[in-house]
């Protein structure tokens, strides 16, 4: 991307924040309307509502049908979509620059004037129930979800984003409207855009289309409880065992976040990582293995995933623990940390070649940090990571009393009764 890209931010009178990055030389715009609401803000009875609303938003407004919404964007070669997470919901489009006003008008229409037709609600329940069943058919997804459940216990973060089927089946139009009135507040909305655009013009359009009146108060999230060591096994009718080992990670705004990124890249960030080379290549214990990090406002998750034969799970687990020990006990060499820093910065640069990735980065930075970090800022923060910092963080995270392990494994066959022997 050109170095001449420019960042701007405006806070509208009602509280909506508009952030943009102008990128000369491209002919497209990626635009997202972010709402700071997700499954962690739901009660047990509401679990799944954030995701359900995201689905229903595109099912028709006062002036556009669901087909009109899709066709208006796609006929110009664009994309319209949305996603729901633990802490945010995002409605976004990627269009050629001249169609940005239309795209914003459609997103604003979706946000403000969705009709939530009761008949469409009943149909969408079946769609989401199918989505839940699809998820349940993917043991790696199930393993990750069980890991988060064990990691956060009774806290709302532990609940599934899709919600349980019994909740989905019972949602009504009134439930959706009440939830929107409670959570879709101007102070919790961020409009992020990247591409060939003018910030002043974008701000005027947002103010015109999304001029929400001030409503309600933001809902505070519950305090997260103490973490304890756990190992849980979940038998299922599958062929291969799936395992996640990890612990709570760092918040998005942590000063050690880039140290964690370096550590994660060393541990399991690609084919040259320690996990891949030592556990897959050297020992041949598994086919799929990687490490991961996920940061939220006040906490996070960090861990290792692998899939292997049921009989080799315990061996694989011991080998992963050995890698954690190596990070705790032995500092990275200069050559290793320098190579990882180059890899990490290269990954970030390649990701920012994509206009949509730029918009996603803008939205998350504004929500979690309230400020913008340029590529140069990020590069500097990566450069100051040292072997000592990585080792200190490894000693903080990878301890036995903080380790949570979930294993989704094949059911063991029951021994059938022996037939009576004839005499």
């Amino acid at each position: 991307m050109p170095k001449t890209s420019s960042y701007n931010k405006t806070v509208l009178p009602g509280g909506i924040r508009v952030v943009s990055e102008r990128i000369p030389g491209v002919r497209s715009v990626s635009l997202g309307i972010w709402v700071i609401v997700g499954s962690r803000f739901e009660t047990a009875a509401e679990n799944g509502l954030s995701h359900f609303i995201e689905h229903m938003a595109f099912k028709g407004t006062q002036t556009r049908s669901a087909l009109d919404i899709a066709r208006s964007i796609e006929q110009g070669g664009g994309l319209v979509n949305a996603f729901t997470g633990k802490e945010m919901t995002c409605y976004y489009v990627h269009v050629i620059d001249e169609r940005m006003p239309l795209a914003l008008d459609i997103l604003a229409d979706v946000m403000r004037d969705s009709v939530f037709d009761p008949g469409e609600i009943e149909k969408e329940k079946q769609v989401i129930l199918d989505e839940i069943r699809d998820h349940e058919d993917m043991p790696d997804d199930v393993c990750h979800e069980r890991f988060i459940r064990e990691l956060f216990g009774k806290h709302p973060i532990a609940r599934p984003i899709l919600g349980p089927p019994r909740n989905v089946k019972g949602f009504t139009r009134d439930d959706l409207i009440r939830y929107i009135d409670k959570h879709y507040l101007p102070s919790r909305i961020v409009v992020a855009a990247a591409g060939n655009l003018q910030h002043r013009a974008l701000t005027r359009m947002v103010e015109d289309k999304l001029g929400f009146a001030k409503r309600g108060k933001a809902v505070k999230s519950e305090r997260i409880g103490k973490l304890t060591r756990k190992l849980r096994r979940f038998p299922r009718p599958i062929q291969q065992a799936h395992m996640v080992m990890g612990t709570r990670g760092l918040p998005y705004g942590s000063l050690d976040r880039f140290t964690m990124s370096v550590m994660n890249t060393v541990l399991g960030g690609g084919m040259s990582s320690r996990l891949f080379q030592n556990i897959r290549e050297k020992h041949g214990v598994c086919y799929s293995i990687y490490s991961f990090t996920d940061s939220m406002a006040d906490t996070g998750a960090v861990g290792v995933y692998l899939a292997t034969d049921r009989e080799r799970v315990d061996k694989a687990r011991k080998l992963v623990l050995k890698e954690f020990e190596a990070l705790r006990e032995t500092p990275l060499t200069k050559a290793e940390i320098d190579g990882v820093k180059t890899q990490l910065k290269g990954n970030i640069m390649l990701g920012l070649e994509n206009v949509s990735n730029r918009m996603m980065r803008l939205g998350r930075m504004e929500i979690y940090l309230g400020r913008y970090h340029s590529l140069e800022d990020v590069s500097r923060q990566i450069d100051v990571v040292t072997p000592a910092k990585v080792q200190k963080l490894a000693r903080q995270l990878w301890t036995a009393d903080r380790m949570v392990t979930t294993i989704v494994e094949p059911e063991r066959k029951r021994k059938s009764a022996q037939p009576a022997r004839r005499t």
Side-chain angles (χ1 to χ4, degrees):
M1 285 293 173
K3 292 184 178 180
T4 53
S5 63
S6 58
Y7 167 80
N8 286 281
K9 173 180 174 178
T10 300
V11 181
L12 298 179
I16 294 175
R17 288 168 280 171
V18 183
V19 291
S20 74
E21 188 173 13
R22 182 171 182 269
I23 308 169
V26 301
R27 283 299 316 276
S28 69
V29 173
S30 181
L31 173 71
I33 300 180
W34 300 69
V35 187
I36 305 174
V37 66
S39 57
R40 80 171 292 179
F41 298 102
E42 299 165 347
T43 65
E46 293 171 338
N47 186 209
L49 258 178
S50 298
H51 175 257
F52 200 105
I53 289 167
E54 174 234 303
H55 269 239
M56 285 303 305
F58 293 104
K59 295 302 175 182
T61 70
Q62 299 290 344
T63 57
R64 292 180 172 98
S65 67
L67 180 59
D68 291 335
I69 292 168
R71 184 177 285 163
S72 296
I73 298 295
E74 292 176 356
Q75 280 186 340
L79 166 73
V80 58
N81 211 333
F83 65 85
T84 306
K86 296 287 185 183
E87 297 182 310
M88 61 188 70
T89 305
C90 179
Y91 305 85
Y92 64 95
V93 292
H94 188 192
V95 294
I96 59 174
D97 50 14
E98 64 193 44
R99 295 177 71 87
M100 188 188 75
L102 172 63
L104 179 57
D105 185 65
I106 290 172
L107 286 187
D109 198 20
V110 162
M111 292 282 293
R112 297 194 62 176
D113 292 317
S114 288
V115 294
F116 301 125
D117 177 78
E120 292 296 330
I121 288 174
E122 293 305 310
K123 285 193 290 185
E124 202 61 24
K125 287 180 181 180
Q126 299 308 312
V127 172
I128 294 174
L129 291 171
D130 279 343
E131 187 178 358
I132 293 172
R133 286 189 283 267
D134 283 347
H135 167 77
E136 288 293 321
D137 281 343
M138 299 178 184
D140 53 337
D141 284 359
V142 172
C143 194
H144 277 282
E145 188 165 289
R146 294 292 173 90
F147 169 72
I148 295 298
R149 188 182 303 176
E150 298 298 330
L151 194 62
F152 292 102
K154 295 181 179 180
H155 192 275
I157 291 176
R159 298 183 189 131
I161 293 170
L162 302 184
R166 65 181 179 275
N167 279 10
V168 173
K169 291 175 183 177
F171 289 148
T172 67
R173 186 177 188 275
D174 286 344
D175 292 331
L176 273 64
I177 298 299
R178 277 194 298 267
Y179 192 81
I180 289 171
D181 288 343
K182 181 180 177 182
H183 292 285
Y184 278 54
L185 309 174
S187 60
R188 296 167 72 111
I189 293 175
V190 172
V191 178
N196 188 26
L197 57 88
Q198 297 292 334
H199 180 78
R200 189 173 297 177
L202 171 65
T203 302
R204 284 197 298 264
M205 284 188 283
V206 171
E207 192 166 20
D208 179 51
K209 302 293 183 181
L210 285 172
F212 287 100
K214 292 184 179 180
R215 299 178 297 176
K217 294 182 179 179
V219 178
K220 294 182 179 179
S221 59
E222 297 178 20
R223 186 176 179 181
I224 300 171
K226 184 179 178 181
L227 177 62
T228 57
R229 180 180 182 179
K230 297 177 185 176
L231 193 159
R232 299 283 188 267
R233 293 177 179 266
F234 304 95
R236 293 174 70 87
I238 54 178
Q239 299 296 314
Q240 193 176 38
H242 300 258
M243 179 171 67
V244 174
M245 300 174 62
T247 187
R248 290 181 191 164
L250 304 178
Y252 196 96
S254 170
L255 295 175
D256 289 324
R257 189 164 61 92
F258 291 97
T259 301
M260 187 170 69
S261 295
V262 169
M263 183 182 70
N264 180 63
T265 305
V266 169
L267 183 62
M271 293 174 63
S272 61
S273 69
R274 292 183 177 186
L275 289 174
F276 194 95
Q277 288 298 314
N278 294 338
I279 298 180
R280 173 178 155 150
E281 298 295 276
K282 182 178 178 180
H283 291 279
V285 170
C286 61
Y287 169 71
S288 177
I289 186 167
Y290 59 84
S291 61
F292 62 88
T293 66
D294 183 24
S295 292
M296 289 174 269
D298 54 353
T299 187
V302 57
V304 170
Y305 163 84
L306 65 84
T308 188
D309 182 79
R310 180 179 60 193
E311 305 305 322
R312 292 184 290 180
V313 167
D314 290 336
K315 180 179 180 180
R317 181 168 167 266
K318 290 176 182 177
L319 289 171
V320 173
L321 289 172
K322 188 176 179 181
E323 295 302 329
F324 292 160
E325 181 183 7
L327 285 171
R328 291 195 309 266
E329 301 303 322
T330 308
L332 305 181
T333 64
K334 184 179 185 305
E336 188 172 26
I337 197 167
D338 286 347
V340 166
K341 287 179 181 180
T342 301
Q343 178 184 346
L344 192 55
K345 287 187 281 188
N347 288 342
I348 294 170
M349 278 190 227
L350 289 173
L352 294 182
E353 291 288 322
N354 183 291
V355 173
S356 291
N357 287 349
R358 290 251 176 172
M359 183 277 290
M360 296 288 178
R361 182 170 177 267
L362 283 178
R364 288 191 172 91
M365 281 193 297
E366 180 56 36
I367 288 169
Y368 287 126
L369 304 176
R371 63 185 184 275
Y372 173 74
H373 280 183
S374 68
L375 187 56
E376 291 74 20
D377 294 333
V378 171
S379 182
R380 282 192 293 270
Q381 292 182 72
I382 292 171
D383 282 338
V384 298
V385 175
T386 64
K389 289 182 178 180
V390 174
Q391 187 177 22
K392 180 182 178 182
L393 183 61
R395 288 175 173 173
Q396 173 188 329
L397 295 177
W398 304 124
T399 60
D401 62 330
R402 291 173 50 87
M403 193 65 60
V404 172
T405 303
T406 55
I407 302 169
V408 175
E409 59 187 352
E411 296 172 336
R412 294 191 178 274
K413 295 180 180 179
R414 296 181 180 177
K415 293 183 179 180
S416 56
Q418 295 294 323
R421 186 178 291 179
R422 292 184 179 182
T423 58

